[in-house]
Amino acid sequence: MSTLPPLPGPLPLPVPDPRARDLVRNYAGMHALVADLVLPGGASMYVMSAMETSRELIRHSYYRYEFATVAVTHSLFALEHVLAERLATNEPLHDLIERAAGAGLITAALAAELHQSQRLRERLVQGSSSSAALGPLRALAMVRAVFDAVSLLLHPPAEAQAPASDTGGARPESGLARLWEDHLRALFPDGFRGVDVDGVDLVLLDADTAGLIHRELNGGLDDSGIACLWGCIADLDKILALANEEYCVSYFTRLRTMAHVVAARHTPAAT
């Protein structure tokens, strides 16, 4: 018999997290975002559960931004379990990834992506990063690397040797899509999280611009989105004129390049 008091009324609907704004038009858009995170065949229930939970955490980061970072760290449970079984050794995750790469079970490029997730977990344990360290798009790229690695480790080598396996899949052919894939795999500049440059918050500018580019690649921007994009371009021009750290400049220059490509698509041709 339940001893809990009855609810006073219907539960309120969840509210989208404003930090994830412009990522997708609505929650339904998150389904398309994670659609390619397919659970591999042949995995144990433990591994399947960890991977599915990671995918759902990204989906629900629409309502709670921190879920994106948690998704990455949770996916490492599956990766570590599969690596330990495949290599028949119980070592720290860093060493397991190195062993797998050395044995040719995963590519060096994929190993480098997995190390980024492993280092993130270490920073969270040490308290040098918070659960808001990643946005949903960056988390998606890191979780996708785990899905790719687990698939390679579980499937026979003949199945695992697919074209473009350095990135875990075929790369899109369009210039914008290639830039977008590169951006998803790039780390946000160290030391610039929470930094305000001439009134522009760099993390929010990154999230806003990336969200608009993602929308363009998945259905196109409406008039409101295009107006927001031009505002982001103006802010990108502003901060790049003031920034002097090499990686930071490179990171935001790529973002501005993509923003201009998208804007050009919506600029009427001269007559």
Side-chain angles (χ1 to χ4, degrees):
M1 179 177 178
S2 174
T3 58
L4 293 174
L7 294 173
L11 293 174
L13 293 174
V15 177
D17 193 313
R19 293 170 293 178
R21 68 184 187 275
D22 290 327
L23 178 63
V24 291
R25 296 178 189 275
N26 49 42
Y27 177 64
M30 297 298 290
H31 306 331
L33 198 65
V34 301
D36 65 337
L37 295 182
V38 180
L39 299 175
S44 68
M45 287 300 297
Y46 174 85
V47 171
M48 295 280 277
S49 175
M51 296 177 73
E52 185 174 23
T53 299
S54 300
R55 183 185 65 196
E56 295 310 302
L57 283 166
I58 290 180
R59 195 195 307 268
H60 292 294
S61 65
Y62 180 79
Y63 295 114
R64 183 66 182 179
Y65 191 82
E66 283 81 359
F67 285 176
T69 298
V70 179
V72 174
T73 58
H74 198 84
S75 71
L76 295 180
F77 296 149
L79 175 66
E80 196 162 6
H81 186 85
V82 172
L83 281 169
E85 279 197 342
R86 182 67 187 271
L87 297 169
T89 182
N90 187 18
E91 297 180 6
L93 180 56
H94 176 276
D95 296 333
L96 290 173
I97 295 171
E98 287 296 299
R99 279 181 175 270
L105 299 176
I106 59 175
T107 65
L110 188 53
E113 293 184 55
L114 299 174
H115 277 311
Q116 292 180 5
S117 298
Q118 168 250 322
R119 286 192 292 270
L120 170 65
R121 184 170 72 176
E122 290 178 354
R123 293 198 301 271
L124 289 167
V125 171
Q126 296 162 359
S128 57
S129 290
S130 75
S131 294
L134 301 175
L137 292 176
R138 178 61 189 142
L140 176 65
M142 296 171 81
V143 170
R144 184 181 291 118
V146 172
F147 271 64
D148 291 344
V150 169
S151 293
L152 286 171
L153 292 163
L154 290 176
H155 294 160
E159 296 179 31
Q161 292 172 357
S165 60
D166 278 358
T167 60
R171 292 175 64 89
E173 294 182 359
S174 77
L176 178 61
R178 282 198 298 271
L179 286 171
W180 177 243
E181 288 295 325
D182 291 342
H183 186 73
L184 288 179
R185 286 173 165 77
L187 291 175
F188 190 86
D190 282 342
F192 288 87
R193 196 170 297 280
V195 171
D196 182 296
V197 175
D198 197 18
V200 178
D201 184 300
L202 298 188
V203 170
L204 289 180
L205 177 59
D206 180 36
D208 288 348
T209 310
L212 292 165
I213 294 166
H214 175 76
R215 281 171 51 186
E216 172 67 17
L217 288 168
N218 290 271
L221 292 175
D222 55 17
D223 290 343
S224 174
I226 296 166
C228 291
L229 182 69
W230 279 112
C232 289
I233 290 173
D235 285 342
L236 286 164
D237 289 342
K238 182 191 299 185
I239 67 148
L240 284 169
L242 300 172
N244 55 15
E245 198 275 329
E246 183 178 359
Y247 179 75
C248 182
V249 170
S250 172
Y251 182 92
F252 282 100
T253 296
R254 180 175 54 239
L255 198 61
R256 181 178 62 177
T257 299
M258 290 189 291
H260 274 290
V261 171
V262 173
R265 291 180 172 185
H266 297 277
T267 302
T271 57

